[in-house]
Amino acid sequence: MLGIISNKRGGAASSINLRPMQVEMKPARPFYAVGDVHGCLPQMQAALERIDDDIEAQGIDDPALVFLGDYVDRGPDSAGVLDEVMQLSLSDPDAVVCLIGNHERMMLDFLDKPLKAGPRWLKFGGIETLQSYGITGLNEAALPEQLYEACEELWDALPDGMETWLRKLPMRWASGNLHCVHAGFDPAQPIQQQSQDVMLWGCESFMKTPRTDGNWVVHGHTVVDRPVWEQSRVSLDTGCYLTGDLTAAAFTNNTCRIV
């Protein structure tokens, strides 16, 4: 087991098997991937418990745990989610991978340039993140002085090391021919030549055009009604902040199970 999930309450894990692949999934190391959390701490904790139970039930040796980004915004407890995923990753950096999402990027941009980046971030969920740190009274039409004040308050509210940890989050992680990223890859470009903009925000062709190089892309960002695995893509963002459903998936040799 990963041995990093605390306050475990038990409960059986349920899963469904992936239909046969056109291209085999060949991870070099088995891993679990977790979709966009967006401030939904209880759902994340429940998903981690299901993963821990599944590792034990399946007898999986030395798996990795990969979060696909977007820990903040929209949901009620971004502060709690950030604290927990940071502690998990610091406790076992070889086993726990936290990718950066576009919402973490917007949060960092706000810390750097509140007047320029603030209106956009507040529009896309920054208000809820600020509220989770006890910073209230803002709306999408916040005045410049309100943005500067909120920025200062957020700097003061962040736990020691949080801002540095956020800035060091990787954009992608791979195991064999499985590549994890927040938003996606441009199918017309080689895996190693992807732009940061596409990895954080996606591109129109990603959800329409399959890759032809034998690689699979595991991603979040684009909300789907249910997990999707087709044409070189595995989509795991099931809109937890709207639906209450946080998807986690297990990847072993030529197999994907929704846990």
Side-chain angles (χ1 to χ4, degrees):
M1 298 179 68
L2 285 173
I4 55 176
I5 301 171
S6 61
N7 300 319
K8 182 178 173 185
R9 294 187 295 272
S14 61
S15 64
I16 59 176
N17 286 324
L18 181 64
R19 63 174 179 267
M21 301 292 176
Q22 295 172 325
V23 176
E24 287 189 355
M25 290 183 174
K26 297 180 179 180
R29 178 185 187 179
F31 68 94
Y32 291 79
V34 180
D36 301 28
V37 180
H38 277 304
C40 298
L41 182 60
Q43 290 90 335
M44 186 185 77
Q45 291 172 331
L48 293 176
E49 290 175 1
R50 295 197 304 271
I51 289 170
D52 227 14
D53 289 340
D54 190 74
I55 292 169
E56 184 174 24
Q58 300 293 327
I60 298 175
D61 184 43
D62 191 31
L65 174 64
V66 183
F67 291 93
L68 297 175
D70 278 7
Y71 315 108
V72 302
D73 299 349
R74 294 177 171 159
D77 196 358
S78 294
V81 169
L82 277 180
D83 185 65
E84 184 150 337
V85 294
M86 183 179 76
Q87 295 306 321
L88 285 173
S89 70
L90 294 178
S91 69
D92 194 348
D94 183 59
V96 182
V97 179
C98 297
L99 301 180
I100 189 170
N102 62 306
H103 284 262
E104 286 76 56
R105 183 67 265 166
M106 286 191 288
M107 179 179 175
L108 289 170
D109 290 344
F110 174 73
L111 288 170
D112 293 335
K113 299 179 180 180
L115 190 59
K116 180 179 179 180
R120 185 188 196 191
W121 185 47
L122 296 184
K123 180 179 179 182
F124 289 103
I127 291 173
E128 290 87 349
T129 296
L130 291 171
Q131 288 174 343
S132 74
Y133 284 102
I135 304 167
T136 60
L138 281 83
N139 57 43
E140 294 178 20
L143 299 173
E145 55 268 28
Q146 292 177 301
L147 293 173
Y148 280 122
E149 182 178 355
C151 181
E152 290 297 322
E153 291 183 24
L154 182 57
W155 274 109
D156 292 340
L158 289 176
D160 290 344
M162 175 68 72
E163 177 258 345
T164 300
W165 176 78
L166 283 168
R167 292 191 190 278
K168 291 181 179 179
L169 295 182
M171 288 201 173
R172 60 187 175 189
W173 179 87
S175 180
N177 70 337
L178 286 149
H179 300 264
C180 297
V181 66
H182 175 62
F185 288 155
D186 183 345
Q189 298 295 325
I191 290 290
Q192 300 303 324
Q193 296 179 18
Q194 300 292 320
S195 72
Q196 293 187 6
D197 189 63
V198 168
M199 289 188 284
L200 284 176
W201 296 92
C203 63
E204 185 177 358
S205 59
F206 173 65
M207 297 299 289
K208 299 178 180 179
T209 306
R211 298 196 67 85
T212 59
D213 58 3
N215 289 298
W216 282 83
V217 182
V218 182
H219 72 101
H221 186 69
T222 300
V223 177
V224 291
D225 292 335
R226 54 189 175 82
V228 175
W229 39 82
E230 61 184 7
Q231 299 182 337
S232 75
R233 286 179 289 101
V234 181
S235 305
L236 297 181
D237 182 7
T238 45
C240 185
Y241 71 98
L242 290 171
T243 65
D245 296 327
L246 180 62
T247 295
F251 296 88
T252 55
N253 193 37
N254 201 31
T255 303
C256 171
R257 291 179 298 105
I258 304 304
V259 180

